[in-house]
Amino acid sequence: MIEFRNVYFSYNGKRYVLKNVSLEIKRGEAVAVIGENGAGKTTLLKHLNGLLKPTKGAVLVGGKDTRKCSVAELSRTVGLIFQNPNHQLFAETVWDEVAFALRNFNYPSDVIRKRVEYVLRLFDLYEYKDRSPYELSGGERKRLAIASVLAYDPEVIAFDEPTIGQDYYQKQTLGQYIKLLKTQGKTIVTVTHDMEFVAENFEKVVLLSRGEVVACGSAREVLTNKSLLEKHGLLAPQLTELAYELSDYGFPRDILTLEEAYRAIKRVLEV
Amino acid sequence: MPRIKVLQLLEAFSFKKEDTVLHKLDPRSKIAFEIIVMVAVFFLSLTTSIALLFFILLLHYKAKTLDKVKRSLYGSLPLLALIFLLNFLFSAKASLLERAAYSATMALRLVILLLAMGVLFLTTSPEELSAALVKMGISYDIALALILTIRFIPTLAREAETIVDAQLSRGLELEKGSFLKRLRNMLPILIPLIVLSIEKTDAVAASMESRCFGAVKKRTFYKEPTLKKADIAFVGAVILVVAALCIISALGLTPL
């Protein structure tokens, strides 16, 4: 679905923010891109819909070279959800906010009506449909920003730091939406610092450090490799940390999710 | 892709600490330089304008700020072209050569003003500037407002870039349609930008108050600006050069 071929990128022509990045993201995969601050995660994400074009190398989205397509064209396939919803909310009402992209993409008005209503109900925002987006709380704004992209049903959904500033409940809700998108066969790419969120929701992990891909593999492979993570300025998920601490008591070290930890504890206690 | 060129233009406002003669001058002498250039620029012909331009470029060379200035000049190119074109089209001058010279002078004026501003802002830290303004009798509140404005221009430009990216990602077309449609298309960018600016202002005010801003009426500074010999020499040299250029221009000693 998405392919990075030896991508180099530089903002100023001097220093490369991305260095020789090669990646393949298959249809229906859920991929998390992790890495310390300034590793180039957001820069990578902006390559997905052509906001940035590679300085060297190529990015292919659905087989098309991004250098030959406009942002509007690519955005129909790749829905990019920005970190801060305040960078995009502008419409008079919540309804218009969601309809914005659909109107830009020239959907017929009855389709727009159906789609907007569907996502507003899905995201629990329908009751606010006539309010101003600025009257919503932080969590609601975030949901609205996501809804406004999901409304036009892109094949790939890319999130930039979706969990930042969200409370536990909002994070859980977000996890639910990601599960739903997975069942619909969508491809999901997320940039994040939140290791627990990755452990619970993503199968594949790409570790970026100083613009280079230093690891790419299953979430279990990458997230339970404590020394690798620490070398690149990251901490393993809390449950994995706990599993390492308890490994003397016969605890398996490759624990990622709450579910797995629960079963492992039960097993150890029974012995 | 419509990248906002504003960001480059604003390079002229970002201060970096260096150890050059110009950095060590009292900000007040640099302000004097600014005012002298600002007034003089209206009395200069094309040739003398070019001479003044070289004088200012020399100052930037001395201050090691040529690089930044180059970038902001590059950013202002479209504006310069526009000024040249408009003057050329609507000037009342008779001959083509005179018209071209006149229009070039107009564009040069902007370049000179931009570069002169650069001399002040690129070599003076915001703290020094506010201390100097206060010493010149401007109230600290006003000096601070001025400095904060300058400080926040690049920040807002960056916000604007992100907003443009976010709206493009939702299928906003900035370059298509009639003039009115394009104007309307600016709304999804302007509204978030204005709201964010207001929120930011509010946050800055709150954080300043929580650090006791305005608790004492009379404010002192860690580093008081003082006029030194170098300042007198600098201002003297500026007056001489500019006066000479003005006289040459007024007497019509140059062809254009």
Side-chain angles (χ1 to χ4, degrees), chain A residues 91-140:
Chain A
E92 260 174 70
T93 64
V94 167
W95 180 282
D96 286 334
E97 192 68 51
V98 177
F100 177 66
L102 292 163
R103 287 181 190 140
N104 286 334
F105 293 136
N106 291 325
Y107 281 91
S109 59
D110 56 317
V111 176
I112 294 181
R113 204 174 324 114
K114 267 187 232 149
R115 290 269 183 94
V116 175
E117 190 178 335
Y118 169 73
V119 285
L120 282 182
R121 287 197 192 281
L122 180 68
F123 282 83
D124 238 351
L125 292 167
Y126 192 73
E127 54 180 314
Y128 305 128
K129 71 181 167 64
D130 298 319
R131 296 244 206 119
S132 158
Y134 289 111
E135 285 175 42
L136 303 182
S137 74
E140 285 159 352

Side-chain angles (χ1 to χ4, degrees), chain A residues 25-42:
Chain A
I25 297 168
K26 295 197 188 75
R27 195 178 295 269
E29 259 181 346
V31 182
V33 181
I34 59 174
E36 83 273 75
N37 285 331
K41 304 187 296 290
T42 302

Side-chain angles (χ1 to χ4, degrees), chain A residues 8-37:
Chain A
Y8 287 80
F9 180 78
S10 165
Y11 284 100
N12 54 13
K14 287 179 201 147
R15 203 174 55 86
Y16 282 114
V17 188
L18 293 180
K19 280 174 265 178
N20 201 14
V21 171
S22 289
L23 271 182
E24 211 199 323
I25 297 168
K26 295 197 188 75
R27 195 178 295 269
E29 259 181 346
V31 182
V33 181
I34 59 174
E36 83 273 75
N37 285 331

Side-chain angles (χ1 to χ4, degrees), chain B residues 5-206:
Chain B
K5 282 276 177 351
V6 176
L7 210 57
Q8 280 181 319
L9 197 92
L10 296 171
E11 287 276 338
F13 293 103
S14 58
F15 165 77
K16 193 175 157 238
K17 213 176 155 72
E18 290 265 10
D19 199 23
T20 73
V21 190
L22 277 136
H23 284 77
K24 280 190 206 136
L25 287 177
D26 187 317
R28 282 173 295 174
S29 38
K30 285 181 264 187
I31 294 172
F33 157 78
E34 281 271 351
I35 296 169
I36 293 168
V37 171
M38 256 187 234
V39 175
V41 93
F42 292 100
F43 299 103
L44 295 180
S45 63
L46 179 62
T47 326
T48 43
S49 294
I50 294 174
L52 183 60
L53 177 69
F54 274 103
F55 176 64
I56 298 174
L57 282 177
L58 184 75
L59 293 180
H60 277 294
Y61 173 73
K62 276 275 176 213
K64 296 180 182 163
T65 46
L66 262 184
D67 235 28
K68 281 189 180 172
V69 152
K70 220 166 58 194
R71 259 176 286 165
S72 66
L73 272 187
Y74 182 71
S76 65
L77 273 181
L79 191 61
L80 293 177
L82 189 73
I83 292 176
F84 182 84
L85 199 73
L86 286 179
N87 277 295
F88 192 76
L89 290 179
F90 299 111
S91 117
K93 301 266 190 253
S95 85
L96 213 57
L97 185 69
E98 270 186 352
R99 267 195 194 192
Y102 175 74
S103 317
T105 315
M106 287 301 173
L108 258 183
R109 277 184 192 169
L110 182 73
V111 174
I112 289 171
L113 289 178
L114 196 71
L115 290 186
M117 296 263 259
V119 171
L120 175 63
F121 288 114
L122 283 174
T123 63
T124 315
S125 75
E127 298 82 53
E128 285 176 320
L129 194 60
S130 58
L133 287 174
V134 170
K135 211 158 183 187
M136 288 165 74
I138 292 166
S139 89
Y140 184 67
D141 293 2
I142 292 171
L144 189 79
L146 186 76
I147 281 148
L148 278 181
T149 311
I150 295 164
R151 154 72 186 75
F152 273 100
I153 291 170
T155 313
L156 282 183
R158 225 165 297 136
E159 297 275 8
E161 270 200 339
T162 311
I163 293 169
V164 170
D165 280 353
Q167 305 299 34
L168 287 178
S169 301
R170 295 204 292 162
L172 178 70
E173 301 260 13
L174 287 173
E175 281 154 343
K176 274 188 194 157
S178 65
F179 180 70
L180 263 179
K181 176 124 173 43
R182 282 191 208 190
L183 219 56
R184 265 186 71 91
N185 281 349
M186 290 304 286
L187 278 182
I189 290 160
L190 287 178
I191 292 171
L193 189 62
I194 292 167
V195 172
L196 274 171
S197 315
I198 294 170
E199 281 175 1
K200 210 155 249 171
T201 316
D202 207 37
V204 170

Side-chain angles (χ1 to χ4, degrees), chain A residues 39-81:
Chain A
K41 304 187 296 290
T42 302
T43 306
L44 185 132
L45 210 62
K46 284 187 180 172
H47 275 80
L48 294 179
N49 69 350
L51 280 172
L52 299 176
K53 320 265 181 184
T55 313
K56 275 195 277 177
V59 177
L60 304 179
V61 172
K64 281 186 283 185
D65 191 330
T66 58
R67 275 171 304 186
K68 296 190 182 105
C69 306
S70 72
V71 177
E73 203 180 331
L74 289 164
S75 293
R76 294 192 100 155
T77 321
V78 182
L80 191 55
I81 295 153

